[in-house]
Amino acid sequence: MREHTLEPITPQKTKEMYLEERENARYATRRTIKDVLEIFVEWAEEDEIEDMNDVRGRQLRRFKNWCQNTSDNNTVSLNGIMSVVRRFLVFCVKIEAVYPDVPDKTPVPNVTDDEAVCYDKPSDEQVNAALDLLETHEPCSRRHVEFLLIKELGNRAGAIRSIDV
């Protein structure tokens, strides 16, 4: 069996490298990744982890528990956070910052079908304000049409967005 030798690298530096790696991702995806990794780096500093080589299963479980205890993250949010961290750790394996088995030790919570759907509907005031803005700045855009449909049909925003045609 081959011994893996890792060179020291800080969580902050690996975060920067991963963001560079993902520079061609959609804006919303990059924003999510950046937000999650900022949380991860903050936690690493609090937990006195100065080298990604030290991240293992126990630390990842502590991170998950820290995320649960320091915010009002529900299971869906926590699943998203831990999924981003897992993909980040796969990148960390490629740059030899963590051991190859570390991503598989990421505790990603299961989300039930009931938890995965949000049944919230925007209020009439929210829809009208969005329409005013979109009619001025994004007329005839997909988002503009989505909000017109929400106003006319009263559907959830997610149901409207799922329409392909």
Side-chain angles (χ1 to χ4, degrees):
M1 186 163 145
R2 192 174 136 220
E3 185 75 25
H4 294 279
T5 336
L6 305 176
E7 291 186 32
I9 187 166
T10 66
Q12 178 65 35
K13 181 64 179 168
T14 53
K15 175 191 101 168
E16 291 166 6
M17 290 174 71
Y18 187 57
L19 289 173
E20 285 176 20
E21 178 80 8
R22 299 300 309 267
E23 70 183 358
N24 292 327
R26 288 181 40 227
Y27 174 80
T29 301
R30 276 187 51 82
R31 183 81 227 156
T32 300
I33 292 168
K34 185 175 186 280
D35 291 347
V36 169
L37 294 185
E38 284 176 2
I39 292 168
F40 182 81
V41 169
E42 176 188 340
W43 165 80
E45 288 172 359
E46 280 187 26
D47 210 48
E48 298 178 355
I49 296 174
E50 298 173 0
D51 186 350
M52 286 298 292
N53 301 178
D54 298 331
V55 174
R56 306 273 201 307
R58 287 184 204 155
Q59 288 77 18
L60 292 170
R61 187 149 310 275
R62 280 201 313 261
F63 173 68
K64 181 187 126 254
N65 292 338
W66 182 82
C67 287
Q68 280 180 311
N69 297 331
T70 59
S71 68
D72 59 351
N73 289 318
N74 61 21
T75 306
V76 175
S77 298
L78 195 57
N79 176 283
I81 290 168
M82 297 310 293
S83 295
V84 169
V85 169
R86 186 182 186 294
R87 285 188 295 276
F88 166 65
L89 292 170
V90 168
F91 169 78
C92 289
V93 168
K94 291 177 184 175
I95 63 166
E96 299 173 338
V98 299
Y99 292 99
D101 62 339
V102 170
D104 293 333
K105 294 179 180 179
T106 309
V108 179
N110 291 328
V111 178
T112 64
D113 290 341
D114 289 346
E115 290 175 302
V117 177
C118 177
Y119 294 97
D120 295 342
K121 293 181 183 179
S123 69
D124 289 342
E125 294 80 24
Q126 290 171 320
V127 171
N128 289 330
L131 278 172
D132 290 343
L133 180 79
L134 293 168
E135 285 171 0
T136 304
H137 298 288
E138 297 181 34
C140 302
S141 67
R142 179 177 174 100
R143 289 193 325 162
H144 185 206
V145 172
E146 288 171 353
F147 273 93
L148 286 169
L149 289 170
I150 290 169
K151 182 174 181 165
E152 291 301 316
L153 302 175
N155 288 346
R156 293 178 300 107
I160 298 296
R161 279 191 213 105
S162 70
I163 298 173
D164 289 333
V165 180

